Amino acid sequence: DNAAAAASESPPGLSEMFINSTDELRHRTINQAIPNTWNDRPPLFEINIPSRNRPYLWRKPKQEHVTEQEDPNLLKGMIRKGIPAPLRCAVWMSNIIQSSHPGQELSVSHEYRTLAKVQVVDGLYHSLWDNDGSGNNNSKHNNIHRSNSTTRVIHKQDVKRIDFGNPSIWEMLDEEQCPGRVVLERVLYALHHTVVGGVIDYAPLLPTLASVLLGFMSESYVFYACREMCFHSNWFFSTSRSEHVATQRAFLDVLQKLHPQTYKTMKEQEATTQFTRAIFQDFFYKHIPRMDGIPIDGHLFPRRKQSSISVWGSIGRSVWQRIQRTLHVRKL
């Protein structure tokens, strides 16, 4: 009994604690208070599902050790209400890993929510940089999971702005005087230098996603998350001009079928191009201040690819009124 009591009073391990959100872009202080329906350690939330509702809310997971509280269907419902700010880093990262590796056990992606993966994520990123000015990385992280062992390390003096076909992101951040612009520069340059350089040169949504993630993740976590999205970009964003245009047209086709009156109004105001740019390039960044809304929560949720256009159809229609007000003010 004494041993059990001592074990219960021992501090939690790294795998039993979620990583906190932090704002590296604007240096805001994030309120770390967590709502009652969510937890600060696994499982992510504790909800007592009435037995009569379980057939509707819960499908038995493939892995027997995954509990009801970790079921993706329940997570989807919780995400629709919005992920609490202090848990966004943890949930976004695990959702990106789960989307990128759908055949992987859920327990592996869930581990990225916790402090257990901090050394791996930080080690990968730090191994890319010339930390001592010698041209070689001799830090303690240099043997941890390098993305490409033949890649030359990055000198910080060589960092320059990369926009991936979206220069407006830098114009907006410069106008706002965001203190973390240099962090975004490093992340995007590191992605271009080690992951996508020569492979992906046009991905206008990538800089916007990285800037949104920096509002709740550390620099190394944003790099790791974007790295996974780049390796599995078909789940997250277009990686060529032709794919970008095709995605916009497909979205408008779906919007016309689901919400014909909204589409008609957009055509009358000649705003279809601006509207699709707001989604597939700016990610509503200019219409939802500081991303206080939840479109990215749904975008990073693991799902079938064919459903993504429909998801944007429902989200986009709710934001259309914001864009209409913007257009009206500009015309005046």
Side-chain angles (χ1 to χ4, degrees), residues 6 11 17 19 31-32 84 115 133 184 188 202 241 259 266 288-289:
M17 300 177 64
I19 187 168
N31 185 353
Q32 298 298 327
L115 297 176
L184 182 61
L188 293 179
Y202 188 85
R241 291 181 183 274
H259 309 290
M266 290 169 55
I288 302 180

Side-chain angles (χ1 to χ4, degrees), residues 18 28 43 59 63 93 100 126 135 142 148 168 269 284 288:
F18 288 139
R28 296 175 300 160
R59 301 173 191 169
Q63 297 85 26
M93 177 62 85
S100 302
H126 291 308
N142 65 340
N148 186 347
S168 64
Q269 297 192 19
F284 305 123
I288 302 180

Side-chain angles (χ1 to χ4, degrees), residues 167-318:
S168 64
I169 186 67
W170 293 116
E171 296 172 1
M172 182 183 65
L173 295 178
D174 286 340
E175 182 179 353
E176 193 179 334
Q177 292 294 309
C178 281
R181 285 170 293 175
V182 65
V183 180
L184 182 61
E185 290 177 6
R186 289 197 297 263
V187 169
L188 293 179
Y189 186 82
L191 287 169
H192 185 270
H193 181 80
T194 63
V195 180
V196 301
V199 179
I200 301 175
D201 292 319
Y202 188 85
L205 188 55
L206 177 57
T208 308
L209 284 176
S211 63
V212 173
L213 294 178
L214 274 175
F216 297 92
M217 289 182 171
S218 66
E219 182 176 348
S220 58
Y221 266 70
V222 173
F223 173 83
Y224 198 97
C226 291
R227 170 181 175 269
E228 289 296 319
M229 287 192 285
C230 288
F231 285 153
H232 307 86
S233 57
N234 59 316
W235 290 98
F236 300 103
F237 49 77
S238 303
T239 56
S240 68
R241 291 181 183 274
S242 58
E243 185 182 1
H244 184 64
V245 172
T247 302
Q248 291 176 312
R249 291 177 177 174
F251 168 80
L252 291 175
D253 289 342
V254 172
L255 185 67
Q256 184 178 10
K257 294 178 181 179
L258 297 179
H259 309 290
Q261 189 58 43
T262 299
Y263 179 79
K264 180 180 178 181
T265 303
M266 290 169 55
K267 292 289 288 184
E268 291 174 351
Q269 297 192 19
E270 299 180 350
T272 55
T273 300
Q274 180 175 350
F275 185 55
T276 52
R277 183 187 299 120
I279 298 176
F280 299 105
Q281 175 175 309
D282 300 331
F283 207 76
F284 305 123
Y285 213 49
K286 298 177 180 177
H287 306 286
I288 302 180
R290 296 190 178 183
M291 291 305 296
D292 291 330
I294 58 172
I296 194 171
D297 294 343
H299 183 67
L300 301 181
F301 179 77
R303 64 189 184 280
R304 296 177 301 170
K305 183 182 179 183
Q306 55 265 37
S307 68
S308 59
I309 296 295
S310 298
V311 169
W312 281 120
S314 59
I315 294 175
R317 184 170 180 267
S318 66

